[in-house]
Amino acid sequence: MKLEPKKTALLTLDFQKGIFGFVPGAEAIVPNAVKAVEFARKKPYHIIHVGLGFSEGHPEISDIDSPFKRVKQNNLFVKGTPSAEFHSAIARPGELVVHKQRVGAFSENQLHLLLRARGIENLVFFGISTSGIVLSTLRRAFDLDHRCVVLKDACFDPNEEVHRVLTGKVFAAQATVLTVDAFITEQGD
């Protein structure tokens, strides 16, 4: 399936310095992610980097016990701070950044509006982690009628079996699942 560049966005998901600190081993997928982003720039697809971003003091996070409580306690992912910065090999200055305050890329932000305004029908994405942001984003994107492509070798999950099952069995019901090289070959240079 060839994707029309004007109607396609490549989403990088949670490629932030602070995420790499939480997810040991995730650096292994950076070369594949870089290859995908460089290809997208050549096409040219719309490129959107999605990651955690909170206001000073984390007013978006309640005091109930949740995984986000740790983020608040450690003052992480405040917009403009090092933990919220995107990996320098993946994001370039001037590229579109969308911040979220929960797990999925569409969580509490303007991503859906940005995609609609640009006439985006196709989403190509990958990120850290497969069982977190990638799964949540796929479910919502599918419900919003986007054609989805997940680049499995640019996704990382700390649990290899969970990654294998999601990319090998679960995602196929709602997306085309490819390696970065297979995707590039399919789309042509």
Side-chain angles (χ1 to χ4, degrees), residues 55-182:
S55 301
E56 187 68 42
H58 297 83
E60 306 91 345
I61 301 176
S62 72
D63 289 325
I64 63 167
D65 203 20
S66 81
F68 289 100
K69 188 174 181 179
R70 182 173 155 202
V71 168
K72 184 175 185 175
Q73 289 170 337
N74 293 303
N75 198 33
L76 296 171
F77 301 105
V78 174
K79 295 174 193 170
T81 66
S83 63
E85 288 177 19
F86 287 86
H87 196 293
S88 61
I90 294 169
R92 286 189 182 164
E95 290 179 336
L96 191 56
V97 169
V98 173
H99 289 105
K100 64 188 180 74
Q101 288 76 45
R102 294 297 182 268
V103 177
F106 291 93
S107 297
E108 310 303 323
N109 61 30
Q110 74 279 23
L111 180 59
H112 180 59
L113 176 64
L114 292 169
L115 296 173
R116 274 195 344 225
R118 287 166 171 73
I120 301 299
E121 297 173 4
N122 313 305
L123 297 178
V124 179
F125 55 92
F126 50 87
I128 307 164
S129 74
T130 313
S131 62
I133 190 170
V134 179
L135 174 61
S136 295
T137 300
L138 174 58
R139 295 292 193 216
R140 184 68 181 133
F142 181 80
D143 284 348
L144 293 171
D145 295 325
H146 289 287
R147 180 180 297 123
C148 298
V149 177
V150 176
L151 301 180
K152 66 182 178 180
D153 58 343
C155 293
F156 182 85
D157 198 276
N159 185 320
E160 290 179 33
E161 180 65 6
V162 168
H163 174 81
R164 186 190 67 75
V165 170
L166 287 172
T167 59
K169 298 177 186 250
V170 177
F171 289 177
Q174 296 176 323
T176 300
V177 180
L178 297 168
T179 64
V180 172
D181 286 341

Side-chain angles (χ1 to χ4, degrees), residues 7-24:
K7 294 183 177 186
T8 302
L10 178 118
L11 307 179
T12 73
L13 306 174
D14 280 351
F15 277 85
Q16 294 169 285
K17 290 180 181 179
I19 296 292
F20 286 99
F22 280 130
V23 188

Side-chain angles (χ1 to χ4, degrees), residues 43-63:
K43 280 311 271 183
Y45 296 156
H46 300 269
I47 297 173
I48 305 172
H49 306 284
V50 182
L52 289 169
F54 297 97
S55 301
E56 187 68 42
H58 297 83
E60 306 91 345
I61 301 176
S62 72
D63 289 325

